[in-house]
Structure formats: structure tokens, C-alpha cells
Amino acid sequence: MSQKRNTHITEEIMKKPSLHQPILFFFLATLLPLILTVHSQPSPSPSPSPSPSPSDDSDFIQRSCNTTLYPDVCVSSLSNFSTYVHNDPALLARAAISVTLSNALELGKYLSNVSTLLEIHEDGGHHPTAAAVFHDCFENLKDAVDEMRDSMKQMRDLVTTGSLESFRFQMSNVQTWLSAALTNEETCTDEFKDVQDEPRKDEVCARVDGVKKLTSNALALVNRCVDNAIR
């Protein structure tokens, strides 16, 4: 992820989300309307805890990422947000979903362009399978993005939760949506085995695989957040 995009996401993380409004899938004025003020269980101690040091924040991300299937990807994608998550598993999970959504949106734009290009250049059956497969992959990714957005909205709703039961219910929704997003991403490339001599095939599969890893990591961090809350 480039430094420019990391800076953009970081700025958006600190903003209060706007009210719900219709947003076109791939033409967003702001990709990631996030808040980093989430619900946490009340502390038994009335005195405020000292602010964690940068090294503590980095160690927290490293320890958390070690619970994922792709820890190196996890650390590299989230290390720039160490000073914003403040050792909070919920904030880290939200940042992970944010990064995943950003990458999925970029991939979706690319797939949309390729799919349109292939459809335009179909000539007497030329590349009909490739055009259909790219289109199907694009549609699956759209579904995955919708599920990531649902996950982000549910994470924002944690601000108003007051009970452990409510917290677990809302987090179960996030787990369900991220699992569905991962399934849609896996389905995205299932049909590519039938595509021959398409130069963009390998690139698309590699990029989808990257988003799948980010989604898997985000789900693992959500699971960790739930485990920490119910101990």
C-alpha cells in the first residue's frame, strides 16, 4: 500500500462518519468513512491508564497479527496505524476491515475496466469465456464489498452497545459478513481455470488472492476481539 493511500485512510479513521446516504459502488467521494471511537468494556479501575508508547503499539499489532493466517501481510498492512489503535483490539479489527475494503474497491475498479474491455472486443466469439468470467468475478467482488461495508457499519454501532450480550450479537454479524466476503472472493477466481491465453488472468488471480489474505486476517482479528471481550 502506498504512503499516500495510508495517509488517506489514517485521516479518514479519525473522522466521525457521515449520515447514511446512497453511494455508488465504485465512485466514492470518500472510500472509508471510519471512526476510531468504539465501545469497550468499562475498566474496573477509576484511574486513567497511561498512554501506551509507540513501541507498545507496535508490539500489540505484532502480537495480534501472530494469531492470523498471514502475519507478515497483517503487520505490513496495519503497521502505519499503530499510533491510532492504542492497544484496542476493536480499533485494530476496524482498521483491518478498512484496509481490506480499500484494496477490494481498487480491485473492483480494475475488474470492471477489464470486463468492459473484453466485452467491447468480443468479435465472433473471441474471448467470450474470459469476458464472462471477469464479469462474474467482478459481481462476486461487489458482493464482498457490500459485506465489508456492512461489517464496518456494525463496528460503528458498537459505540451504542452497553451489554456483553449485545456486543456478542453484533460481532457475530461482523463475523458472518466477513466470512461471506471471503467466500465471494474465493468464488471470484473459481472459473478462471476455464480461461486460456488471457494475459490478465494471472494478475487478477494474484490481486484477488491478496484481498483474500487481508479479509482472512481481518476476520481473525475480529475473532480475537470477541475472545478478549468474553474472557
Side-chain angles (χ1 to χ4, degrees), residues 119-136:
E119 289 172 359
I120 291 174
H121 287 86
E122 279 184 12
D123 182 15
H126 182 60
H127 288 314
T129 301
V133 169
F134 274 89
H135 178 75
D136 289 346

Side-chain angles (χ1 to χ4, degrees), residues 20-226:
H20 301 300
Q21 55 185 349
I23 302 176
L24 294 177
F25 177 69
F26 288 121
F27 298 91
L28 301 176
T30 302
L31 292 181
L32 304 170
L34 307 177
I35 314 172
L36 277 190
T37 305
V38 298
H39 168 76
S40 59
Q41 298 297 317
S43 172
S45 173
S47 60
S49 300
S51 299
S53 67
S55 61
D56 290 338
D57 292 330
S58 297
D59 289 345
F60 169 70
I61 289 181
Q62 182 67 65
R63 291 194 308 272
S64 301
C65 285
N66 285 341
T67 66
T68 70
L69 290 178
Y70 311 100
D72 292 341
V73 174
C74 180
V75 172
S76 64
S77 64
L78 296 175
S79 59
N80 287 340
F81 306 105
S82 61
T83 57
Y84 297 95
V85 299
H86 300 308
N87 289 1
D88 189 322
L91 298 186
L92 183 61
R94 182 178 296 185
I97 299 172
S98 162
V99 171
T100 306
L101 178 56
S102 178
N103 279 267
L105 286 167
E106 287 193 3
L107 176 57
K109 291 178 183 178
Y110 173 77
L111 282 172
S112 178
N113 291 336
V114 172
S115 179
T116 300
L117 185 64
L118 288 172
E119 289 172 359
I120 291 174
H121 287 86
E122 279 184 12
D123 182 15
H126 182 60
H127 288 314
T129 301
V133 169
F134 274 89
H135 178 75
D136 289 346
C137 186
F138 170 70
E139 291 297 325
N140 282 312
L141 194 65
K142 278 175 59 178
D143 290 340
V145 165
D146 287 341
E147 287 147 356
M148 292 178 204
R149 285 177 174 158
D150 288 339
S151 298
M152 287 302 301
K153 178 181 180 300
Q154 190 71 87
M155 293 293 287
R156 290 195 297 268
D157 288 344
L158 292 177
V159 173
T160 60
T161 29
S163 69
L164 180 59
E165 180 181 356
S166 178
F167 172 81
R168 293 178 66 176
F169 173 76
Q170 293 192 53
M171 291 301 284
S172 71
N173 289 336
V174 177
Q175 291 168 315
T176 297
W177 282 318
L178 287 179
S179 296
L182 188 58
T183 298
N184 276 308
E185 292 155 8
E186 291 171 346
T187 303
C188 186
T189 54
D190 282 351
E191 297 178 8
F192 274 100
K193 62 182 180 297
D194 298 323
V195 176
Q196 303 296 328
D197 301 323
E198 170 46 55
R200 285 155 291 210
K201 171 183 174 179
D202 290 342
E203 179 183 358
V204 169
C205 289
R207 292 181 66 170
V208 173
D209 186 63
V211 172
K212 284 162 55 177
K213 289 178 179 179
L214 291 173
T215 307
S216 172
N217 287 346
L219 178 57
L221 294 175
V222 167
N223 292 339
R224 186 173 188 270
C225 177
V226 174

